[in-house]
Amino acid sequence: MSARGVPEIVFRAHRAVVGSEIVPASVTVSGGIILAVETGPAAPTSPTPAGTDVVDLGDDVVLLPGLVDTHVHVNEPGRTDWEGFASATRAAACGGVTTLIDMPLNSSPVTTSPAALDAKLVSTTGKLHVDAGFWGGAVPENLGRLRELWDRGVFGFKCFLLHSGIDEFPPLDASQMLAAMEEIAGFGGLLIVHAEDAGTIDAQPPPSGPAYAGFLESRPVSAEVRAVAQVIDGVRRTRCRAHILHLSAADALPLIRAAKAEGLPLTVETCPHYLSLFSEEIQPGATHYKCCPPIREAGNRERLWEGLRDGTIDLVVSDHSPCVPELKRFDSGDFGQAWGGIASVQLGLPIIWSEARLRGLGLPDVVRWMSAGPAEFAGLADRGAIRPGARADLVVLAPDEAFVVLPERLQHKNPVTAYAQRALGGVVREVYLAGRRIDLTGPAAGTTVFRPASPAPPAPPADPLAPPADLPTAAPARTGAPSLSRTEPLG
């Protein structure tokens, strides 16, 4: 397999993930693009043109395509004491992530207007160690004007169906979500949804104190299931492409399977914390485990793995959502008052590889969930695979080497992690961005990326179905200062 160009560098690997297989491979790169991929037993020793740099990889490592993480909260500008582009992309690079897409909150301003996107772009200057793209936000105030952000190259629009945790990013109620879907379907866009039902959560006792069980009860499975049903009904009525963010409730999987069987344009992600952690192990006051939706029981975790196996869940992304340590309320251990979110952009690959191999799954599966799948979902056809014509974003992974997570060695800004002292398998040895080895001691070499142009969408149905009589609706947007006891951020 080859493409035109002059070879500049050749990676020779005894093991590489090419398509759905692990094979010996020789990967030829020019101008940051893969020109040719030769596979077979002779590939690691194949001759190379004179003057070509050669990277010979040992038989203890596997060459992977760079990961694409479509769910990262960088928080810059405005909350750079929580996280910023320099620290987030350093952590991403150390974890084998070569492209990330930044969420429209919790930065200030939130990315709900072209001016806010401009502020975001300015804040990236000279700071990107990997490539970064951007989601826009869909809030009540910008409905009817979403096309402005779409035309600027955002990858889609995030909305909440309940309070987001910050008042400047209010949720959409049921009618507003449908209006957003109709608008977005009109230009072939994508709506990504934090799917928890506000009314269901408001009916629960608010969390308080150090017991994790109380927090878990405050965010019941039924809140996710009802919200997922609402999204599916909206997709059915508008044919808007939609995506369920950070699925934690396995009870929603039958609804999702049925929607996909119906042919609805719906995709779903889950996250490393839902696939590795479980509520029974969370000790009183361990607020570094707090996130929304919450980490649920071990049995629920295994059902999520079943959803990955059968393709119901499409992606695994980090939902990297950091904050300053004080907001985690380690002083009181109060789950009601602590800010929610788990920072894991550096650890996603070893977490998922460690768990996948225990279940008889392989590195090609991990690549499908964390590289090829997210790249396809975002429309980034030039990355996510080792193939001719793709960008030479590559990761050298030692899959049988292990390490212990030490918070002080993580690259994200604040050393808070739910994985402290855990042993994980899979060490990222080197990462290449467009064929060049990432050197964190040198200048930041990443760039901003934007949504590729897409063809005009088909017209939505002329006579949408009426909503079911029992369809849950979201509560109206709340006003005033955010209440961390009820409105943890999230995702």
Side-chain angles (χ1 to χ4, degrees):
M1 299 183 291
S2 65
R4 294 181 181 177
V6 178
E8 296 174 353
I9 184 170
V10 174
F11 296 85
R12 300 197 295 196
H14 295 274
R15 292 185 290 170
V17 175
V18 179
S20 60
E21 298 181 304
I22 298 179
V23 293
S26 175
V27 180
T28 303
V29 174
S30 179
I33 304 299
I34 297 174
L35 296 179
V37 179
E38 178 187 349
T39 61
T45 58
S46 60
T48 58
T52 303
D53 291 334
V54 177
V55 178
D56 281 312
L57 301 176
D59 57 11
D60 62 330
V61 299
V62 181
L63 188 66
L64 312 177
L67 303 191
V68 178
D69 191 340
T70 57
H71 196 149
V72 179
H73 292 266
V74 177
N75 304 332
E76 187 173 3
R79 289 187 174 92
T80 53
D81 55 336
W82 295 20
E83 188 70 283
F85 281 104
S87 52
T89 58
R90 285 175 65 91
C94 290
V97 174
T98 51
T99 303
L100 63 81
I101 304 183
D102 173 57
M103 284 291 165
L105 76 167
N106 297 306
S107 58
S108 182
V110 293
T111 316
T112 56
S113 69
L117 179 60
D118 287 341
K120 179 80 70 173
L121 292 171
V122 168
S123 72
T124 68
T125 304
K127 299 175 184 176
L128 299 179
H129 295 282
V130 302
D131 289 354
F134 311 95
W135 295 108
V139 296
E141 291 76 15
N142 70 352
L143 296 183
R145 302 193 308 276
L146 297 176
R147 182 68 183 257
E148 297 172 6
L149 276 168
W150 182 252
D151 288 344
R152 291 289 303 277
V154 300
F155 284 83
F157 303 89
K158 180 176 186 175
C159 75
F160 282 77
L161 303 184
L162 77 171
H163 197 285
S164 70
I166 57 172
D167 287 336
E168 59 264 42
F169 201 98
L172 303 181
D173 64 23
S175 63
Q176 290 167 337
M177 187 196 74
L178 281 176
M181 285 185 163
E182 290 170 354
E183 180 181 355
I184 292 167
F187 53 75
L190 168 65
L191 183 68
I192 63 176
V193 186
H194 182 121
E196 289 182 285
D197 179 61
T200 303
I201 289 175
D202 285 344
Q204 311 307 310
S208 178
Y212 185 76
F215 171 64
L216 186 59
E217 290 170 4
S218 76
R219 318 284 296 209
V221 164
S222 58
E224 277 194 86
V225 174
R226 296 188 76 186
V228 168
Q230 181 181 343
V231 173
I232 290 172
D233 181 71
V235 173
R236 182 180 294 116
R237 295 172 65 188
T238 66
R239 294 292 159 172
C240 177
R241 187 162 62 106
H243 179 77
I244 302 296
L245 296 164
H246 45 47
L247 182 73
S248 81
D251 280 5
L253 290 172
L255 287 175
I256 295 164
R257 288 189 184 102
K260 289 188 168 191
E262 188 180 335
L264 298 182
L266 181 75
T267 50
V268 182
E269 69 183 44
T270 192
C271 305
H273 38 283
Y274 302 129
L275 294 168
S276 61
L277 307 175
F278 53 95
S279 61
E280 294 93 334
E281 72 176 342
I282 299 176
Q283 298 299 306
T287 54
H288 44 292
Y289 288 92
K290 181 179 179 179
C291 59
C292 299
I295 295 162
R296 304 192 188 276
E297 299 82 2
N300 179 87
R301 177 190 65 178
E302 295 312 308
R303 291 168 62 202
L304 291 177
W305 275 102
E306 292 172 9
L308 270 176
R309 282 180 181 271
D310 68 18
T312 305
I313 299 173
D314 302 275
L315 320 175
V316 180
V317 292
S318 69
D319 189 8
H320 177 75
S321 187
C323 67
V324 293
E326 305 85 74
L327 289 179
K328 281 294 189 180
R329 296 306 304 267
F330 295 129
D331 55 344
S332 66
D334 189 331
F335 276 97
Q337 293 298 316
W339 192 255
I342 291 178
S344 64
V345 70
Q346 185 172 338
L347 298 174
L349 176 56
I351 292 166
I352 295 302
W353 169 233
S354 297
E355 296 291 329
R357 69 191 306 181
L358 290 175
R359 294 165 174 82
L361 297 160
L363 281 172
D365 299 304
V366 174
V367 167
R368 184 172 72 253
W369 302 325
M370 303 187 77
S371 182
E376 180 181 3
F377 160 67
L380 292 169
D382 64 338
R383 56 200 78 196
I386 297 176
R387 57 169 175 74
R391 274 172 52 100
D393 296 342
L394 301 168
V395 177
V396 179
L397 178 75
D400 300 319
E401 190 174 338
F403 67 101
V404 174
V405 178
L406 300 176
E408 64 272 16
R409 294 188 180 179
L410 296 176
Q411 295 294 322
H412 61 258
K413 182 164 288 187
N414 293 289
V416 175
T417 176
Y419 299 96
Q421 307 306 317
R422 289 180 182 264
L424 298 176
V427 172
V428 174
R429 294 265 186 89
E430 294 180 326
V431 180
Y432 292 80
L433 187 67
R436 295 184 179 274
R437 184 177 180 274
I438 294 178
D439 178 3
L440 295 178
T441 67
T447 63
T448 52
V449 293
F450 299 93
R451 174 191 52 79
S454 55
D463 185 20
L465 300 175
D470 60 349
L471 182 69
T473 59
R478 305 174 199 173
T479 59
S483 168
L484 299 187
S485 65
R486 301 308 303 264
T487 58
E488 306 80 5
L490 316 150

